[in-house]
Amino acid sequence: MSTAGRKINFAAGPAKLPEEVLLKMQEEQLNFNGLGVSVIEMSHRSKEFGVLLNETISLVRELMNVPDNFEILFMQGGGTGQFAAIPLNLKGNHEHADYIVTGAWSSKAAEEAQKYIKVKKVFQPKKPYVTVPNQEGWVHDEKAAYLYYCANETVHGIEFTPTAPESHNVPLVADVSSNFMARPFDFKDHGVVFGGAQKNLGAAGLTIVIVRKDLIGKQQEITPAVFSYQEMIANNSLYNTPPTGGIYTTNLVLKWIKAKGGLNAIYELNLKKSGLIYGIIDNSDGFYHCAVDKKYRSIMNVCFRIGGPSGNEKLEEEFLKGAVERNMISLKGHRSVGGIRASLYNAISLEETEVLATWMREFEKLHKTN
């Protein structure tokens, strides 16, 4: 079994998986644990799958240091599904929820939530999204059901660092889809932490939802059973058929993270990778331009333009073409913002990041010379 011919995949999600994980999946595809069947053929009600499920839950708790007063759920519908599930489960007797809108995904979350709860934005969002406004100017309400934020805006490359926003005595709800286990996480003041697995933790189809126990059982009557935290907890995430293959994939990724030294080691590597690329941008005399406030630059999604703040599309197309010729794919920025986006998720190695860095230096030198 070989990984020869594989591309360096900088996709924003679904994203690269560690080669070790893919090779293990290949090895076990026809015969998982000597059972004579693949994981994706097994009954989700079987004892064997139950062992796998509980082990995966335990690994999430161990690696993220999830407190005992939180439940860990494996759900479906992606992070987008949770845009509805959050207000459906947490509204309770509250009239409204507070939302921090710092980019496309938190904006979509607020828009979806309006169907199920009154939404108040703690500040008026301004485009283009390039920063997190000073918290002193935010308008909070301690009667809110929760305060929602997106920990890392994948489209714009904006990340809450180094800490979460102040809660103002209401539960924080964090969408960590694109920086899930990219760094240690502090559950202080949080009520719900959720994310899709397809960026840092596995394959598309699995959504991990970590819920504080005291918030469970407050769901609205219209809440579909598959989105009800109470139903999912009562059934150990087996209310309906779960994404068995996705849970298996995440199990292997979690073991890979553990073998790498856990989240502290992963975070240290992620800082090196992102620092390498941001360093080239900042030392290019404006040839490369990242508009994001340095305090909130994402270590996962490095977004930049080439040829100035507004970008030169001809240069960017040339850069992308050259990247493909050098075995790198999926560096094109999101269609809504353009430019370049290098997603440096956990599975991207420092060596692969250095390939991108080398091309950036070569491209800059070529065009500055000319």
Side-chain angles (χ1 to χ4, degrees):
M1 294 179 283
S2 171
T3 58
R6 281 180 55 77
K7 304 290 186 182
I8 302 175
N9 182 9
F10 291 103
K16 182 192 174 185
L17 287 168
E19 279 82 4
E20 299 95 319
V21 168
L22 292 170
L23 289 170
K24 186 67 172 176
M25 292 171 68
Q26 185 180 36
E27 175 189 331
E28 295 184 332
Q29 193 62 248
L30 294 177
N31 189 353
F32 173 70
N33 276 359
L35 296 172
V37 294
S38 171
V39 167
I40 59 177
E41 299 174 301
M42 290 170 57
S43 168
H44 62 292
R45 304 288 182 191
S46 67
K47 182 180 76 172
E48 292 82 5
F49 183 77
V51 170
L52 176 70
L53 173 67
N54 291 328
E55 180 187 48
T56 310
I57 292 171
S58 295
L59 283 165
V60 172
R61 189 174 295 278
E62 175 188 351
L63 288 169
M64 285 193 77
N65 197 23
V66 179
D68 291 339
N69 63 325
F70 282 78
E71 297 280 3
I72 299 169
L73 308 179
F74 290 163
M75 300 179 70
Q76 298 178 69
T80 303
Q82 291 302 308
F83 295 171
I86 296 294
L88 283 168
N89 280 277
L90 301 189
K91 181 178 183 296
N93 295 322
H94 301 276
E95 292 298 322
H96 78 278
D98 282 352
Y99 274 70
I100 301 168
V101 176
T102 52
W105 289 112
S106 50
S107 177
K108 289 181 179 180
E111 183 179 355
E112 180 70 8
Q114 288 176 343
K115 300 174 184 176
Y116 311 104
I117 194 170
K118 183 179 179 181
V119 166
K120 289 185 178 179
K121 298 174 183 176
V122 297
F123 58 82
Q124 189 58 41
K126 292 182 180 179
K127 295 182 180 180
Y129 298 113
V130 294
T131 191
V132 176
N134 191 316
Q135 295 190 39
E136 292 180 2
W138 298 4
V139 180
H140 293 273
D141 190 333
E142 293 189 3
K143 294 181 180 180
Y146 55 86
L147 175 60
Y148 182 103
Y149 75 104
C150 180
N152 186 77
E153 289 282 1
T154 320
V155 172
H156 310 280
I158 299 170
E159 185 172 16
F160 270 90
T161 57
T163 59
E166 296 177 14
S167 69
H168 288 261
N169 299 317
V170 302
L172 289 174
V173 173
D175 176 358
V176 297
S177 291
S178 55
N179 64 353
F180 222 149
M181 296 205 194
R183 59 168 74 231
F185 188 87
D186 186 357
F187 282 85
K188 180 179 179 292
D189 296 329
H190 285 80
V192 179
V193 178
F194 73 92
Q198 71 274 11
K199 301 176 188 292
N200 256 344
L201 294 182
L206 173 65
T207 310
I208 301 173
V209 185
I210 306 172
V211 189
R212 209 171 68 200
K213 292 179 180 179
D214 64 293
L215 298 176
I216 297 164
K218 299 180 179 181
Q219 68 275 5
Q220 299 183 42
E221 290 184 5
I222 61 169
T223 306
V226 292
F227 275 172
S228 166
Y229 298 157
Q230 187 173 50
E231 288 282 6
M232 296 304 288
I233 289 164
N235 290 277
N236 194 31
S237 296
L238 296 173
Y239 175 82
N240 63 325
T241 306
T244 53
I247 291 169
Y248 164 66
T249 305
T250 292
N251 179 281
L252 295 181
V253 173
L254 294 172
K255 288 175 178 174
W256 176 83
I257 291 174
K258 186 174 180 178
K260 289 291 183 181
L263 298 194
N264 286 321
I266 289 288
Y267 180 40
E268 184 178 341
L269 182 59
N270 286 334
L271 287 175
K272 289 180 181 178
K273 293 185 299 183
S274 58
L276 177 61
I277 303 303
Y278 283 126
I280 293 171
I281 293 169
D282 292 342
N283 290 294
S284 69
D285 295 322
F287 182 75
Y288 297 116
H289 179 81
C290 176
V292 178
D293 184 341
K294 288 186 179 181
K295 290 187 297 183
Y296 299 107
R297 282 179 171 178
S298 170
I299 62 170
M300 291 284 94
N301 309 103
V302 180
C303 301
F304 60 96
R305 302 304 300 256
I306 302 176
S310 299
N312 181 315
E313 291 186 6
K314 185 177 179 181
L315 282 178
E316 289 169 349
E317 288 173 7
E318 183 182 342
F319 178 85
L320 292 169
K321 183 176 182 293
V324 170
E325 291 169 354
R326 289 160 178 77
N327 210 39
M328 295 177 282
I329 63 170
S330 300
L331 282 164
K332 188 174 183 178
H334 190 273
R335 62 187 180 277
S336 65
V337 295
I340 311 297
R341 174 173 58 179
S343 294
L344 307 177
Y345 297 130
N346 292 350
I348 293 288
S349 68
L350 182 58
E351 291 74 21
E352 289 172 323
T353 309
E354 287 171 344
V355 174
L356 173 61
T358 297
W359 173 226
M360 289 176 69
R361 293 190 193 101
E362 289 177 2
F363 192 75
E364 178 187 354
K365 184 178 179 180
L366 172 66
H367 285 279
K368 281 189 173 179
T369 303
N370 293 338

